[in-house]
mmCIF file of all heavy atoms in Angstrom:
data_model
loop_
_atom_site.group_PDB
_atom_site.id
_atom_site.type_symbol
_atom_site.label_atom_id
_atom_site.label_comp_id
_atom_site.label_asym_id
_atom_site.label_seq_id
_atom_site.Cartn_x
_atom_site.Cartn_y
_atom_site.Cartn_z
ATOM 1 N N ARG A 55 120.541 80.667 127.113
ATOM 2 C CA ARG A 55 121.848 80.841 126.675
ATOM 3 C C ARG A 55 122.197 82.327 126.347
ATOM 4 O O ARG A 55 123.232 82.796 126.603
ATOM 5 C CB ARG A 55 122.113 79.884 125.562
ATOM 6 C CG ARG A 55 123.574 79.913 124.953
ATOM 7 C CD ARG A 55 123.881 78.919 123.932
ATOM 8 N NE ARG A 55 123.073 79.114 122.738
ATOM 9 C CZ ARG A 55 121.966 78.472 122.365
ATOM 10 N NH1 ARG A 55 121.505 77.443 123.088
ATOM 11 N NH2 ARG A 55 121.308 78.708 121.265
ATOM 12 N N THR A 56 121.199 82.880 125.611
ATOM 13 C CA THR A 56 121.473 84.282 125.171
ATOM 14 C C THR A 56 120.900 85.313 126.010
ATOM 15 O O THR A 56 121.253 86.515 125.856
ATOM 16 C CB THR A 56 120.790 84.363 123.696
ATOM 17 O OG1 THR A 56 119.316 84.240 123.906
ATOM 18 C CG2 THR A 56 121.254 83.376 122.726
ATOM 19 N N GLY A 57 120.096 84.968 126.987
ATOM 20 C CA GLY A 57 119.383 86.008 127.755
ATOM 21 C C GLY A 57 118.334 86.773 127.148
ATOM 22 O O GLY A 57 117.863 87.774 127.606
ATOM 23 N N ARG A 58 117.850 86.332 125.914
ATOM 24 C CA ARG A 58 116.878 86.863 125.228
ATOM 25 C C ARG A 58 115.648 85.912 124.994
ATOM 26 O O ARG A 58 115.857 84.662 125.087
ATOM 27 C CB ARG A 58 117.391 87.410 123.800
ATOM 28 C CG ARG A 58 118.213 88.615 123.954
ATOM 29 C CD ARG A 58 118.857 89.022 122.617
ATOM 30 N NE ARG A 58 117.864 89.034 121.581
ATOM 31 C CZ ARG A 58 118.211 89.392 120.279
ATOM 32 N NH1 ARG A 58 119.461 89.632 119.970
ATOM 33 N NH2 ARG A 58 117.261 89.405 119.353
ATOM 34 N N THR A 59 114.523 86.394 124.748
ATOM 35 C CA THR A 59 113.258 85.504 124.532
ATOM 36 C C THR A 59 113.109 85.312 123.011
ATOM 37 O O THR A 59 112.342 84.407 122.668
ATOM 38 C CB THR A 59 112.100 86.127 125.166
ATOM 39 O OG1 THR A 59 111.695 87.405 124.484
ATOM 40 C CG2 THR A 59 112.233 86.498 126.588
ATOM 41 N N ASN A 60 113.639 86.207 122.218
ATOM 42 C CA ASN A 60 113.383 86.126 120.771
ATOM 43 C C ASN A 60 111.945 86.305 120.341
ATOM 44 O O ASN A 60 111.520 85.749 119.405
ATOM 45 C CB ASN A 60 113.951 84.806 120.151
ATOM 46 C CG ASN A 60 115.463 84.753 120.321
ATOM 47 O OD1 ASN A 60 116.166 85.632 119.874
ATOM 48 N ND2 ASN A 60 115.851 83.675 120.958
ATOM 49 N N LEU A 61 111.187 87.050 121.202
ATOM 50 C CA LEU A 61 109.755 87.282 121.040
ATOM 51 C C LEU A 61 109.447 88.773 121.076
ATOM 52 O O LEU A 61 109.991 89.442 121.979
ATOM 53 C CB LEU A 61 108.937 86.498 122.095
ATOM 54 C CG LEU A 61 107.435 86.576 121.967
ATOM 55 C CD1 LEU A 61 106.985 85.864 120.667
ATOM 56 C CD2 LEU A 61 106.831 85.768 123.160
ATOM 57 N N ILE A 62 108.692 89.239 120.083
ATOM 58 C CA ILE A 62 108.404 90.676 120.031
ATOM 59 C C ILE A 62 106.937 90.828 120.065
ATOM 60 O O ILE A 62 106.128 90.126 119.394
ATOM 61 C CB ILE A 62 108.921 91.278 118.676
ATOM 62 C CG1 ILE A 62 110.397 91.152 118.558
ATOM 63 C CG2 ILE A 62 108.511 92.732 118.595
ATOM 64 C CD1 ILE A 62 111.280 91.859 119.560
ATOM 65 N N ALA A 63 106.475 91.693 120.981
ATOM 66 C CA ALA A 63 105.022 92.016 121.132
ATOM 67 C C ALA A 63 104.589 93.121 120.100
ATOM 68 O O ALA A 63 105.464 94.022 119.821
ATOM 69 C CB ALA A 63 104.696 92.409 122.537
ATOM 70 N N VAL A 64 103.418 92.950 119.431
ATOM 71 C CA VAL A 64 102.885 93.890 118.538
ATOM 72 C C VAL A 64 101.481 94.318 118.972
ATOM 73 O O VAL A 64 100.628 93.394 119.008
ATOM 74 C CB VAL A 64 102.953 93.375 117.136
ATOM 75 C CG1 VAL A 64 102.368 94.408 116.173
ATOM 76 C CG2 VAL A 64 104.309 93.026 116.659
ATOM 77 N N LEU A 65 101.311 95.543 119.309
ATOM 78 C CA LEU A 65 99.958 95.992 119.724
ATOM 79 C C LEU A 65 99.289 96.793 118.589
ATOM 80 O O LEU A 65 99.928 97.682 118.021
ATOM 81 C CB LEU A 65 100.084 96.940 120.951
ATOM 82 C CG LEU A 65 99.883 96.316 122.366
ATOM 83 C CD1 LEU A 65 101.075 95.395 122.632
ATOM 84 C CD2 LEU A 65 99.780 97.434 123.440
ATOM 85 N N ILE A 66 98.081 96.317 118.232
ATOM 86 C CA ILE A 66 97.382 97.065 117.195
ATOM 87 C C ILE A 66 95.970 97.316 117.713
ATOM 88 O O ILE A 66 95.484 96.640 118.597
ATOM 89 C CB ILE A 66 97.234 96.173 115.948
ATOM 90 C CG1 ILE A 66 96.551 94.829 116.162
ATOM 91 C CG2 ILE A 66 98.672 95.984 115.247
ATOM 92 C CD1 ILE A 66 96.204 94.052 114.973
ATOM 93 N N PRO A 67 95.296 98.398 117.154
ATOM 94 C CA PRO A 67 94.023 98.738 117.752
ATOM 95 C C PRO A 67 92.821 98.055 117.042
ATOM 96 O O PRO A 67 91.716 98.044 117.689
ATOM 97 C CB PRO A 67 93.864 100.290 117.278
ATOM 98 C CG PRO A 67 94.731 100.372 116.119
ATOM 99 C CD PRO A 67 95.874 99.394 116.228
ATOM 100 N N ASP A 68 92.962 97.504 115.794
ATOM 101 C CA ASP A 68 91.891 96.910 115.135
ATOM 102 C C ASP A 68 92.284 95.733 114.164
ATOM 103 O O ASP A 68 92.823 96.107 113.125
ATOM 104 C CB ASP A 68 91.049 98.060 114.426
ATOM 105 C CG ASP A 68 89.844 97.443 113.709
ATOM 106 O OD1 ASP A 68 89.519 96.283 113.865
ATOM 107 O OD2 ASP A 68 89.216 98.273 112.885
ATOM 108 N N ILE A 69 92.135 94.568 114.565
ATOM 109 C CA ILE A 69 92.689 93.504 113.820
ATOM 110 C C ILE A 69 91.995 93.234 112.432
ATOM 111 O O ILE A 69 92.461 92.559 111.569
ATOM 112 C CB ILE A 69 92.600 92.214 114.599
ATOM 113 C CG1 ILE A 69 93.623 91.159 114.142
ATOM 114 C CG2 ILE A 69 91.154 91.546 114.726
ATOM 115 C CD1 ILE A 69 93.814 89.953 115.066
ATOM 116 N N LEU A 70 90.764 93.921 112.276
ATOM 117 C CA LEU A 70 90.039 93.731 111.053
ATOM 118 C C LEU A 70 90.300 94.918 110.072
ATOM 119 O O LEU A 70 89.876 94.734 108.871
ATOM 120 C CB LEU A 70 88.473 93.699 111.379
ATOM 121 C CG LEU A 70 87.925 92.610 112.192
ATOM 122 C CD1 LEU A 70 86.474 92.848 112.427
ATOM 123 C CD2 LEU A 70 88.325 91.350 111.581
ATOM 124 N N ASN A 71 91.044 95.904 110.462
ATOM 125 C CA ASN A 71 91.329 97.033 109.540
ATOM 126 C C ASN A 71 92.463 96.650 108.577
ATOM 127 O O ASN A 71 93.514 96.190 108.949
ATOM 128 C CB ASN A 71 91.784 98.215 110.312
ATOM 129 C CG ASN A 71 91.968 99.531 109.626
ATOM 130 O OD1 ASN A 71 92.491 99.481 108.521
ATOM 131 N ND2 ASN A 71 91.557 100.525 110.207
ATOM 132 N N PRO A 72 92.206 96.768 107.261
ATOM 133 C CA PRO A 72 93.161 96.323 106.227
ATOM 134 C C PRO A 72 94.525 96.961 106.343
ATOM 135 O O PRO A 72 95.550 96.339 106.127
ATOM 136 C CB PRO A 72 92.535 96.816 104.853
ATOM 137 C CG PRO A 72 91.063 96.851 105.172
ATOM 138 C CD PRO A 72 90.987 97.271 106.585
ATOM 139 N N PHE A 73 94.589 98.186 106.985
ATOM 140 C CA PHE A 73 95.874 98.846 107.199
ATOM 141 C C PHE A 73 96.708 98.069 108.262
ATOM 142 O O PHE A 73 97.869 97.823 107.992
ATOM 143 C CB PHE A 73 95.605 100.267 107.732
ATOM 144 C CG PHE A 73 96.776 101.013 108.055
ATOM 145 C CD1 PHE A 73 97.499 101.830 107.124
ATOM 146 C CD2 PHE A 73 97.421 100.958 109.337
ATOM 147 C CE1 PHE A 73 98.668 102.511 107.461
ATOM 148 C CE2 PHE A 73 98.554 101.703 109.678
ATOM 149 C CZ PHE A 73 99.176 102.383 108.748
ATOM 150 N N TYR A 74 96.083 97.640 109.251
ATOM 151 C CA TYR A 74 96.840 96.964 110.339
ATOM 152 C C TYR A 74 97.071 95.452 109.968
ATOM 153 O O TYR A 74 98.060 94.864 110.369
ATOM 154 C CB TYR A 74 96.071 96.939 111.632
ATOM 155 C CG TYR A 74 95.918 98.433 112.191
ATOM 156 C CD1 TYR A 74 94.660 99.087 112.110
ATOM 157 C CD2 TYR A 74 97.030 99.133 112.505
ATOM 158 C CE1 TYR A 74 94.555 100.394 112.500
ATOM 159 C CE2 TYR A 74 96.948 100.484 112.880
ATOM 160 C CZ TYR A 74 95.633 101.079 112.897
ATOM 161 O OH TYR A 74 95.455 102.377 113.278
ATOM 162 N N VAL A 75 96.267 94.929 109.125
ATOM 163 C CA VAL A 75 96.514 93.613 108.561
ATOM 164 C C VAL A 75 97.825 93.605 107.781
ATOM 165 O O VAL A 75 98.707 92.688 107.949
ATOM 166 C CB VAL A 75 95.354 93.062 107.650
ATOM 167 C CG1 VAL A 75 95.747 91.796 106.915
ATOM 168 C CG2 VAL A 75 94.028 92.862 108.503
ATOM 169 N N LYS A 76 97.929 94.593 106.904
ATOM 170 C CA LYS A 76 99.169 94.708 106.126
ATOM 171 C C LYS A 76 100.395 94.974 106.867
ATOM 172 O O LYS A 76 101.516 94.384 106.807
ATOM 173 C CB LYS A 76 98.975 95.735 105.032
ATOM 174 C CG LYS A 76 100.191 95.940 104.098
ATOM 175 C CD LYS A 76 100.425 94.694 103.235
ATOM 176 C CE LYS A 76 101.512 94.933 102.222
ATOM 177 N NZ LYS A 76 101.724 93.712 101.436
ATOM 178 N N LEU A 77 100.194 95.906 107.902
ATOM 179 C CA LEU A 77 101.265 96.266 108.885
ATOM 180 C C LEU A 77 101.816 95.043 109.592
ATOM 181 O O LEU A 77 103.028 94.833 109.635
ATOM 182 C CB LEU A 77 100.672 97.355 109.831
ATOM 183 C CG LEU A 77 101.770 98.039 110.677
ATOM 184 C CD1 LEU A 77 102.429 99.036 109.903
ATOM 185 C CD2 LEU A 77 101.037 98.668 111.966
ATOM 186 N N VAL A 78 100.923 94.210 110.176
ATOM 187 C CA VAL A 78 101.303 93.078 110.887
ATOM 188 C C VAL A 78 101.986 92.025 109.990
ATOM 189 O O VAL A 78 103.003 91.376 110.363
ATOM 190 C CB VAL A 78 100.121 92.457 111.656
ATOM 191 C CG1 VAL A 78 100.475 91.080 112.189
ATOM 192 C CG2 VAL A 78 99.664 93.346 112.751
ATOM 193 N N GLN A 79 101.424 91.848 108.800
ATOM 194 C CA GLN A 79 101.996 90.903 107.850
ATOM 195 C C GLN A 79 103.484 91.129 107.599
ATOM 196 O O GLN A 79 104.344 90.316 107.644
ATOM 197 C CB GLN A 79 101.161 90.928 106.588
ATOM 198 C CG GLN A 79 101.771 89.963 105.508
ATOM 199 C CD GLN A 79 101.078 90.173 104.180
ATOM 200 O OE1 GLN A 79 100.823 91.254 103.696
ATOM 201 N NE2 GLN A 79 100.836 89.072 103.477
ATOM 202 N N VAL A 80 103.769 92.469 107.333
ATOM 203 C CA VAL A 80 105.132 92.840 106.895
ATOM 204 C C VAL A 80 105.987 92.783 108.163
ATOM 205 O O VAL A 80 107.199 92.382 108.168
ATOM 206 C CB VAL A 80 105.116 94.228 106.345
ATOM 207 C CG1 VAL A 80 106.588 94.610 105.986
ATOM 208 C CG2 VAL A 80 104.423 94.118 104.964
ATOM 209 N N ILE A 81 105.540 93.243 109.409
ATOM 210 C CA ILE A 81 106.256 93.179 110.603
ATOM 211 C C ILE A 81 106.683 91.768 110.948
ATOM 212 O O ILE A 81 107.910 91.451 111.230
ATOM 213 C CB ILE A 81 105.474 93.742 111.761
ATOM 214 C CG1 ILE A 81 105.396 95.287 111.708
ATOM 215 C CG2 ILE A 81 106.001 93.303 113.203
ATOM 216 C CD1 ILE A 81 104.447 95.909 112.723
ATOM 217 N N GLN A 82 105.760 90.868 110.829
ATOM 218 C CA GLN A 82 106.068 89.488 111.122
ATOM 219 C C GLN A 82 107.159 88.908 110.092
ATOM 220 O O GLN A 82 108.093 88.192 110.501
ATOM 221 C CB GLN A 82 104.790 88.546 110.941
ATOM 222 C CG GLN A 82 104.934 87.144 111.360
ATOM 223 C CD GLN A 82 103.628 86.488 111.474
ATOM 224 O OE1 GLN A 82 102.648 86.821 110.930
ATOM 225 N NE2 GLN A 82 103.619 85.481 112.274
ATOM 226 N N THR A 83 107.035 89.283 108.808
ATOM 227 C CA THR A 83 108.025 88.814 107.837
ATOM 228 C C THR A 83 109.371 89.349 108.235
ATOM 229 O O THR A 83 110.438 88.613 108.158
ATOM 230 C CB THR A 83 107.609 89.239 106.431
ATOM 231 O OG1 THR A 83 106.386 88.661 106.068
ATOM 232 C CG2 THR A 83 108.650 88.812 105.383
ATOM 233 N N GLU A 84 109.498 90.647 108.570
ATOM 234 C CA GLU A 84 110.723 91.268 108.819
ATOM 235 C C GLU A 84 111.277 90.681 110.154
ATOM 236 O O GLU A 84 112.572 90.482 110.141
ATOM 237 C CB GLU A 84 110.537 92.779 108.938
ATOM 238 C CG GLU A 84 110.236 93.467 107.685
ATOM 239 C CD GLU A 84 111.287 93.337 106.589
ATOM 240 O OE1 GLU A 84 112.427 93.609 106.915
ATOM 241 O OE2 GLU A 84 110.974 92.865 105.474
ATOM 242 N N LEU A 85 110.535 90.438 111.071
ATOM 243 C CA LEU A 85 111.074 89.903 112.322
ATOM 244 C C LEU A 85 111.560 88.447 112.147
ATOM 245 O O LEU A 85 112.581 88.044 112.697
ATOM 246 C CB LEU A 85 109.958 89.873 113.471
ATOM 247 C CG LEU A 85 109.693 91.359 113.931
ATOM 248 C CD1 LEU A 85 108.439 91.298 115.002
ATOM 249 C CD2 LEU A 85 110.836 91.922 114.679
ATOM 250 N N GLU A 86 110.898 87.626 111.272
ATOM 251 C CA GLU A 86 111.305 86.290 110.977
ATOM 252 C C GLU A 86 112.665 86.319 110.380
ATOM 253 O O GLU A 86 113.520 85.427 110.634
ATOM 254 C CB GLU A 86 110.319 85.674 110.042
ATOM 255 C CG GLU A 86 108.987 85.149 110.735
ATOM 256 C CD GLU A 86 108.017 84.500 109.777
ATOM 257 O OE1 GLU A 86 108.249 84.604 108.571
ATOM 258 O OE2 GLU A 86 107.001 83.987 110.218
ATOM 259 N N LYS A 87 112.953 87.319 109.561
ATOM 260 C CA LYS A 87 114.279 87.410 108.896
ATOM 261 C C LYS A 87 115.364 87.553 109.946
ATOM 262 O O LYS A 87 116.502 87.136 109.718
ATOM 263 C CB LYS A 87 114.296 88.631 107.926
ATOM 264 C CG LYS A 87 113.490 88.526 106.654
ATOM 265 C CD LYS A 87 113.550 89.687 105.836
ATOM 266 C CE LYS A 87 112.643 89.666 104.669
ATOM 267 N NZ LYS A 87 112.606 90.950 103.856
ATOM 268 N N ALA A 88 115.043 88.157 111.112
ATOM 269 C CA ALA A 88 115.982 88.445 112.186
ATOM 270 C C ALA A 88 115.880 87.270 113.185
ATOM 271 O O ALA A 88 116.595 87.427 114.268
ATOM 272 C CB ALA A 88 115.679 89.756 112.856
ATOM 273 N N GLY A 89 115.177 86.196 112.845
ATOM 274 C CA GLY A 89 115.120 85.086 113.798
ATOM 275 C C GLY A 89 114.198 85.357 115.023
ATOM 276 O O GLY A 89 114.296 84.677 116.078
ATOM 277 N N LEU A 90 113.288 86.349 114.919
ATOM 278 C CA LEU A 90 112.440 86.575 115.974
ATOM 279 C C LEU A 90 110.923 86.236 115.710
ATOM 280 O O LEU A 90 110.513 86.198 114.607
ATOM 281 C CB LEU A 90 112.457 88.075 116.261
ATOM 282 C CG LEU A 90 113.832 88.669 116.605
ATOM 283 C CD1 LEU A 90 113.851 90.154 116.677
ATOM 284 C CD2 LEU A 90 114.337 88.156 118.029
#
Side-chain angles (χ1 to χ4, degrees):
R55 185 173 64 254
T56 64
R58 289 173 48 181
T59 66
N60 297 305
L61 185 60
I62 301 297
V64 179
L65 266 66
I66 59 172
D68 181 6
I69 202 167
L70 297 178
N71 187 317
F73 177 88
Y74 298 111
V75 172
K76 182 65 176 180
L77 190 78
V78 167
Q79 179 190 40
V80 177
I81 284 173
Q82 189 169 19
T83 299
E84 292 299 307
L85 289 174
E86 283 177 353
K87 292 177 184 176
L90 300 171

